Amino acid sequence: MKKSANVVIIGGGITGCATAYELAVRGVKDIVVIEKQYLSSGATGRCGAGVRQQWGTETNAILARDSVKRFEGMNEELEYDRDIEFKQGGYLMVSYTQNEWNQYKKNVAIQHSLGIPTKMITPQEALEIVPHLNIKGLIGATFCQSDGHANPFHVVDAYYKAASRLGVKFETYTSVTGITREKGKVTSVQTSKGDIAASMVINACGYAAGTICKMVGFELPLYPQRHQALVTEPVEPCQGPMVISLHHRLYCQQTPHGSFIMGVGDPNEPKDFNINSSWEFLEDVARQATTVLPLLKNLRVVRQWSGLYDMSPDANPILDEVPDAKGMWVAAGFSGHGFMVAPQTAVLLAQKILGQNCFMPIERFGLERFSGGELLLESAVV
Amino acid sequence: MQTKETIVCRCEDITLEEIKSLIDQGYRTIDEIKRVIRAGMGPCQGRTCRMLIAQELAKYYGIPVGEVLMPTFRPTVRPVKLGTFAGGE
C-alpha cells in the first residue's frame, strides 16, 4: 500500500467512490480509498435502490434533482461496461391521512419551485398508474415520472472503474485504526495495512462516520438505525413506479430484473449497530405490502437483509470540515437516502475542497446547524 | 472444461467463463462477484454456485477452499409467499 497520498477517502460506498471520481476528474492525483470490507458492503449495497426527487426540504430536493440528471447519462459519462439499470418508472407517493396529504402539498410546492415536475393526482389517476393499488381510504397521491431505480452495486462499480482509470487506488478489506493530528491538522491515517501520510481525509463511512470522528476527538451528531428489506422472485414487469406509503411505513418497487424490493420502517427500532434480519420484519412488511398492493401476496420472498441508516438530527446530510481537525471532511448523515443524492453530493464536496464555485451553498449542510443554527428537518423519510 | 457452456449459477445463468473473467479482473470474494453479476441471488440463494465459485477463488489465489470468505447466509431458507407471512394462507 502507498505510504502517502494527497487525499485518503474512508469508505467504499457510493459517497466515497463518487467523491474519489469527482476529485480525480478535476485533476487531483494520489487518491486512496480505504474500505473495511468490499465496495458497497455497507449502507449503499443494502439500500432500497430508489432514486426520487420528491423531498420536503429544498436541500434534499436540489441534490436529488441534479443527481437524476447524472444518473440519466451515467453509463456514458463513466464509460461503464455494464448497465447501472436506471429505470425512470416514477415514484408514486400515496396518502391515506389528511395530515400526510397537507404535508405532501407543502412538499410539492417546494418541488415545483425547483422545477421538479411532480403531479398531484386523484386515487383514480393513481390506479391508472398502478392497477393493483388498493385505493380504499386513499386521499390522493403525488407522482413524478422522472424518479425511479438504479442498481447500487453497478453504480458503485461504475464509479470504481472510472476512478481507477484516473489513477485512484482502492484498498478493500482494510480497516482504519487511527488518525493522527498535529497542531489541529490531520497528518496521517493508520490502517490494518500500514500508515498513509495525508493532509486531507474524507470520512464517508455512513453509520461508522461517528467512530472515525471519535479518532480525532470529535462527536458527530449521528446515530445508526437498522432498516430491513426483502426481495422477491422476478416476475414480468407489472409495476412502473416505486410506491411509497408513509402511513404504512412502506416502500415497494419492481426492479428492471423483475424482482420486487420492499421495506418498512420500524418506529420502535432502537439506536443500535445491529444488522441481523428478523422474522418480525417479514410479517410486518408482508402485511403492509399486501394491504397497499394486494396482488403481491402471491410473490415469493427469496432473500431478506438489513442495513443501517446514518441518521442525522434533521435527516439531511452533513458535509463539513471537522473543527479542530483541519483537512478532515465529513460526508455522512444521509439518513437513508445517500445513494440517490450521491452523484451531486460528491460534486459539491469536490468543488468545496478544491476551492471552486459550488453549484449550491454547501454551508447549508454544515455542522453549525446543530449548535444553534437552523435545522433543515426533512419530513419525507420512510 | 468448456468454460463457455459450463453453468455455475443455474438460477441466474452465469457461466464459468464469466466467473473466471471477474476473478481475473480482481473481484476477490464471492460477495463481490455476487453483486456484480447476480451469481447466488436467485431462488436457491447460492446453494450450488457458492461452493463452485469458492473453488475457483481458491485455485486462483492458491489457498484452501476453507479460507475463502463466505457471504452472509440470509433468510429465507427457501422461497415463501408474502401472503403466507401476512397470515392470509
Side-chain angles (χ1 to χ4, degrees), chain A residues 65-128:
Chain A
R65 177 196 66 189
D66 294 355
S67 290
V68 160
K69 295 274 179 293
R70 302 288 303 288
F71 281 116
E72 284 172 350
M74 192 167 283
N75 283 329
E76 294 75 24
E77 184 192 347
L78 300 181
E79 296 177 41
Y80 190 41
D81 59 341
R82 295 183 186 276
D83 178 6
I84 66 156
E85 296 167 19
F86 190 45
K87 162 193 163 182
Q88 290 178 294
Y91 257 61
L92 184 71
M93 302 195 55
V94 291
S95 173
Y96 293 87
T97 70
Q98 198 58 48
N99 274 351
E100 199 174 70
W101 190 234
N102 293 341
Q103 183 63 50
Y104 281 9
K105 284 181 192 164
K106 288 181 197 158
N107 294 359
V108 168
I110 290 169
Q111 292 154 22
H112 284 175
S113 74
L114 300 169
I116 297 167
T118 309
K119 289 180 190 162
M120 303 201 72
I121 60 175
T122 63
Q124 205 55 42
E125 288 167 327
L127 202 57
E128 282 165 27

Side-chain angles (χ1 to χ4, degrees), chain A residues 35-287:
Chain A
E35 163 55 48
K36 190 160 74 174
Q37 289 180 280
Y38 49 90
L39 300 182
S40 77
S41 56
T44 300
R46 297 162 189 272
C47 80
V51 176
R52 73 163 139 136
Q53 303 157 88
Q54 296 183 58
W55 289 100
T57 48
E58 203 177 87
T59 38
N60 277 329
I62 294 172
L63 285 176
R65 177 196 66 189
D66 294 355
S67 290
V68 160
K69 295 274 179 293
R70 302 288 303 288
F71 281 116
E72 284 172 350
M74 192 167 283
N75 283 329
E76 294 75 24
E77 184 192 347
L78 300 181
E79 296 177 41
Y80 190 41
D81 59 341
R82 295 183 186 276
D83 178 6
I84 66 156
E85 296 167 19
F86 190 45
K87 162 193 163 182
Q88 290 178 294
Y91 257 61
L92 184 71
M93 302 195 55
V94 291
S95 173
Y96 293 87
T97 70
Q98 198 58 48
N99 274 351
E100 199 174 70
W101 190 234
N102 293 341
Q103 183 63 50
Y104 281 9
K105 284 181 192 164
K106 288 181 197 158
N107 294 359
V108 168
I110 290 169
Q111 292 154 22
H112 284 175
S113 74
L114 300 169
I116 297 167
T118 309
K119 289 180 190 162
M120 303 201 72
I121 60 175
T122 63
Q124 205 55 42
E125 288 167 327
L127 202 57
E128 282 165 27
I129 297 169
V130 178
H132 52 278
L133 180 70
N134 178 7
I135 59 167
K136 192 181 167 198
L138 184 67
I139 295 173
T142 65
F143 181 68
C144 179
Q145 183 71 62
S146 52
D147 292 347
H149 162 280
N151 182 324
F153 305 126
H154 285 185
V155 173
V156 168
D157 195 45
Y159 274 116
Y160 153 69
K161 283 178 167 161
S164 296
R165 287 195 298 271
L166 294 167
V168 175
K169 297 284 178 236
F170 289 81
E171 298 289 343
T172 54
Y173 297 99
T174 307
S175 306
V176 169
T177 54
I179 293 170
T180 308
R181 266 183 311 170
E182 280 170 30
K183 294 175 187 160
K185 288 181 185 167
V186 171
T187 55
S188 78
V189 176
Q190 285 84 57
T191 81
S192 54
K193 286 189 189 159
D195 296 359
I196 311 176
S199 58
M200 183 165 291
V201 175
I202 298 172
N203 175 358
C205 297
Y207 52 83
T211 311
I212 297 293
C213 274
K214 276 194 189 124
M215 293 176 181
V216 293
F218 182 71
E219 283 287 334
L220 204 58
L222 292 186
Y223 63 92
Q225 187 181 63
R226 178 179 67 166
H227 281 254
Q228 304 193 58
L230 66 75
V231 67
T232 70
E233 62 192 333
V235 288
E236 290 296 316
C238 58
Q239 184 177 313
M242 169 83 94
V243 174
I244 286 194
S245 171
L246 295 180
H247 178 64
H248 297 90
R249 304 169 279 116
L250 173 79
Y251 67 86
C252 175
Q253 72 169 332
Q254 186 175 26
T255 69
H257 166 257
S259 55
F260 278 73
I261 292 178
M262 64 190 76
V264 285
D266 180 351
N268 300 315
E269 187 66 43
K271 295 178 181 180
D272 193 85
F273 286 99
N274 171 25
I275 55 163
N276 292 321
S277 296
S278 77
W279 61 265
E280 291 94 338
F281 164 76
L282 280 177
E283 290 191 352
D284 189 14
V285 72
R287 283 194 196 108

